[in-house]
Amino acid sequence: MEQGQGDLERLLKWAAEIGISDSTCCGDSCLGHSLSVSYFPSAGGRGLGAARDLREGELLLKVPKSVLMTKESLLLKDEKLSLSVNDYAHHSLSPTQILAVCLLYEMGKGKISWWHPYLMNLPRSYDILATFGEFEKQALQVDDAIWAAEKATLKAEYEWKEANALMKQLKLKPQLLTFKAWLWASATISSRTLHIPWDAAGCLCPVGDLFNYSAPGEEPSRCESMEHTMHDLVNEDTSGMADVEQLVSDSRRLTDGGFEKDVDAYCFYAKKSYKKGEQVLLSYGTYTNLELLEHYGFLLNENPNDKVFIPLEPEIYSSCSWPKESLFIHQNGKPSFALLSTLRLWATPQNQRRSVGHLVYSGLQLSIQNEMFILRWISKKCTTILKNLPTSFEDDNLLLSAIDKIQNLDAPLELNNVSSTCRDEICAFKANVLQKGERSSMESKERWRLAVEWRLSYKKILVDCIAYCDEIFEKPTATTGVSSSIFVSVWPTYMGLCID
């Protein structure tokens, strides 16, 4: 739920008063010199935009340590909370559990909380995997994703029960003792905390958590971007040399932000150059779409770090020394280096593997026959996975359009182009939320949409992999000029392994 404009203005005014700033001087708002709050409908919703042209490596925002919401800072401000938490220190609650309890306790204070302007701007609900109901979990369709959602819910429930005694000792309000409230606190911590060196639970960072996410690898190369910026500075005027020196210093930073002990503050830097009005993004790390959904409650349409793991036979795993997590298909549909190497070795007769191992691990193709066999094997495997899923790639595209048209449960929908399986899914959604309130219905709809978007991105990788393999399979070879598909007729099986 989006917070009101009044709450946001109060947050920015409060932030300026306590030293949060995007410049060296503060006015009525902590923003305005480098950053401004803007709405980006197709890129994360509310976020931070560039208030002027920004250079890569430039300091954008500084948040003093005293403002960061951590277990330490919450305990220092409340003696009752400190005594109760210290009493439970031997109960083996994790730092994250303790921070969740402290957050709920602080929420219970209402307007008397020192952090009240910040707390009022936190989302009222999240869409991380742990919040998915049974319907949304099954909508993921893929066993690994369903299991990830079930594990996330079970873990959250277990941690809630562990922390229940402490919450009761603190006499939290009944609505803050519920599993729903715990999910909210856990999701707030999972999706919004930043790393700090002194607490494994991290910190909640007012204003700093308004940055939306950008996957590593989306921006142009750091060196190329810096080269263009330096060229522009030097050609503006001779005084630009001082800025160039600063830019070279800034370029040595390897992250978008972090806690800096020398200034006792959390500092955020531009990960690339931005034009005025562009959204300024922050990279939280490298995540697949399923991991983004699990920890942050969103996914990316184009995530360069997404991947699909296809099931492999035990003898394939045992034929190589690559770790299992390296055997996958990239977001663009290309098999990973390790997957190709593994399959090349597996498709080689066992008594020849030792002699060609060094070639395989160097990434070299062993023969046309070997390469054609593994490409056909991968294509066949991807096709089988797609056929075994309840809906097709095309079905899910149509279903997403239908979900967008669901404004209320009673309105009729035009479903002529949707498969019978998708119609059944829409009916199941309506039945699932029939007894819930309007807000719960909309939350369930958003999670359903995320589940369909995730499985669509999963299927797209498989579809692209089939197209990639088939394209190479039909491409004339460099040595013969003959389509490599000719080898199918003479090589229906390789080393006795059937691929039909």
Side-chain angles (χ1 to χ4, degrees), residues 153-376:
T153 303
L154 288 170
K155 179 175 181 287
E157 190 170 0
Y158 177 77
E159 291 180 343
W160 167 62
K161 289 177 179 177
E162 274 194 324
N164 213 256
L166 175 57
M167 293 191 290
K168 286 181 177 177
Q169 180 173 313
L170 287 166
K171 295 182 170 56
L172 295 188
K173 296 174 183 178
Q175 64 268 32
L176 297 177
L177 288 171
T178 64
F179 181 53
K180 183 178 180 180
W182 180 262
L183 276 178
W184 173 85
S186 297
T188 298
I189 292 167
S190 173
S191 64
R192 305 183 81 83
T193 51
L194 300 172
H195 170 75
I196 48 176
W198 66 89
D199 192 334
C203 69
L204 289 168
C205 182
V207 184
D209 59 8
L210 292 177
F211 287 102
N212 283 325
Y213 174 78
S214 170
E218 284 189 353
E219 285 77 23
S221 75
R222 190 173 181 83
C223 293
E224 179 185 347
S225 177
M226 191 179 95
E227 182 181 326
H228 287 309
T229 306
M230 288 176 66
H231 180 272
D232 292 341
L233 281 172
V234 173
N235 282 281
E236 281 175 8
D237 54 60
T238 54
S239 63
M241 286 307 298
D243 291 329
V244 169
E245 291 174 4
Q246 181 61 44
L247 183 63
V248 171
S249 174
D250 291 340
S251 71
R252 298 191 186 104
R253 295 191 183 90
L254 300 179
T255 61
D256 307 346
F259 183 79
E260 298 186 7
K261 194 172 181 180
D262 56 335
V263 292
D264 208 30
Y266 213 101
C267 298
F268 298 86
Y269 297 89
K271 64 184 298 180
K272 66 165 196 166
S273 296
Y274 292 95
K275 294 293 183 184
K276 182 178 179 179
E278 288 184 331
Q279 180 170 198
V280 180
L281 298 167
L282 187 70
S283 175
Y284 315 151
T286 301
Y287 296 96
T288 65
N289 268 345
L290 187 60
E291 289 167 339
L292 286 175
L293 203 51
E294 179 178 359
H295 300 293
Y296 298 100
F298 68 88
L299 45 78
L300 301 176
N301 290 330
E302 294 294 332
N303 182 357
N305 303 301
D306 206 13
K307 60 187 72 169
V308 164
F309 294 89
I310 58 175
L312 303 174
E313 287 74 8
E315 58 266 27
I316 296 179
Y317 289 121
S318 62
S319 68
C320 76
S321 58
W322 293 104
K324 287 184 179 181
E325 58 268 23
S326 66
L327 308 177
F328 60 85
I329 300 170
H330 287 285
Q331 185 258 351
N332 60 7
K334 295 181 179 180
S336 69
F337 178 93
L339 179 58
L340 284 175
S341 298
T342 297
L343 292 174
R344 285 169 183 153
L345 196 59
W346 166 70
T348 300
Q350 196 162 3
N351 60 355
Q352 298 177 22
R353 289 177 185 172
R354 183 182 293 273
S355 63
V356 299
H358 66 290
L359 299 174
V360 166
Y361 288 110
S362 297
L364 297 176
Q365 297 179 12
L366 300 181
S367 69
I368 294 175
Q369 293 92 335
N370 180 282
E371 201 68 12
M372 292 308 105
F373 172 80
I374 67 168
L375 289 174
R376 191 178 180 199

Side-chain angles (χ1 to χ4, degrees), residues 285-496:
T286 301
Y287 296 96
T288 65
N289 268 345
L290 187 60
E291 289 167 339
L292 286 175
L293 203 51
E294 179 178 359
H295 300 293
Y296 298 100
F298 68 88
L299 45 78
L300 301 176
N301 290 330
E302 294 294 332
N303 182 357
N305 303 301
D306 206 13
K307 60 187 72 169
V308 164
F309 294 89
I310 58 175
L312 303 174
E313 287 74 8
E315 58 266 27
I316 296 179
Y317 289 121
S318 62
S319 68
C320 76
S321 58
W322 293 104
K324 287 184 179 181
E325 58 268 23
S326 66
L327 308 177
F328 60 85
I329 300 170
H330 287 285
Q331 185 258 351
N332 60 7
K334 295 181 179 180
S336 69
F337 178 93
L339 179 58
L340 284 175
S341 298
T342 297
L343 292 174
R344 285 169 183 153
L345 196 59
W346 166 70
T348 300
Q350 196 162 3
N351 60 355
Q352 298 177 22
R353 289 177 185 172
R354 183 182 293 273
S355 63
V356 299
H358 66 290
L359 299 174
V360 166
Y361 288 110
S362 297
L364 297 176
Q365 297 179 12
L366 300 181
S367 69
I368 294 175
Q369 293 92 335
N370 180 282
E371 201 68 12
M372 292 308 105
F373 172 80
I374 67 168
L375 289 174
R376 191 178 180 199
W377 186 92
I378 293 171
S379 179
K380 184 83 172 178
K381 179 70 77 171
C382 292
T383 301
T384 302
I385 293 171
L386 287 169
K387 283 182 178 178
N388 288 336
L389 293 172
T391 56
S392 69
F393 177 73
E394 293 76 16
D395 285 338
D396 289 346
N397 265 315
L398 293 171
L399 182 57
L400 273 181
S401 298
I403 293 173
D404 287 336
K405 295 173 184 174
I406 298 177
Q407 299 302 322
N408 62 71
L409 298 180
D410 300 319
L413 279 175
E414 195 65 46
L415 301 176
N416 294 334
N417 296 325
V418 178
S419 69
S420 59
T421 307
C422 289
R423 286 195 195 96
D424 292 343
E425 191 169 342
I426 292 171
C427 292
F429 166 74
K430 290 186 175 184
N432 181 62
V433 300
L434 198 59
Q435 301 302 319
K436 297 180 180 179
E438 181 63 27
R439 179 176 163 187
S440 295
S441 298
M442 290 304 102
E443 289 175 4
S444 182
K445 174 188 164 184
E446 179 56 27
R447 289 166 193 155
W448 177 32
R449 167 181 245 291
L450 285 168
V452 175
E453 283 185 341
W454 180 82
R455 78 194 197 204
L456 184 63
S457 68
Y458 175 92
K459 292 170 189 177
K460 185 178 186 301
I461 293 175
L462 294 176
V463 168
D464 288 346
C465 184
I466 294 169
Y468 171 78
C469 292
D470 291 351
E471 180 185 357
I472 295 178
F473 205 65
E474 296 298 329
K475 191 181 294 182
T477 65
T479 55
T480 67
V482 180
S483 172
S484 54
S485 61
I486 193 171
F487 291 100
V488 177
S489 61
V490 298
W491 210 265
T493 61
Y494 191 64
M495 63 162 284

Side-chain angles (χ1 to χ4, degrees), residues 27-93:
D28 291 336
S29 172
C30 66
L31 302 178
H33 174 69
S34 301
L35 303 168
S36 63
V37 178
S38 303
Y39 191 75
F40 303 92
S42 59
R46 189 174 75 174
L48 293 176
R52 56 180 175 82
D53 289 353
L54 302 172
R55 295 198 305 271
E56 179 182 355
E58 189 176 347
L59 177 64
L60 300 180
L61 185 70
K62 188 160 66 174
V63 182
K65 180 182 179 181
S66 58
V67 181
L68 303 177
M69 183 183 282
T70 65
K71 180 187 71 174
E72 178 186 68
S73 61
L74 286 161
L75 297 184
L76 283 173
K77 289 181 183 293
D78 194 295
E79 185 178 359
K80 176 187 172 183
L81 178 65
S82 179
L83 289 172
S84 295
V85 168
N86 288 332
D87 282 346
Y88 273 80
H90 63 283
H91 285 255
S92 299
L93 293 182

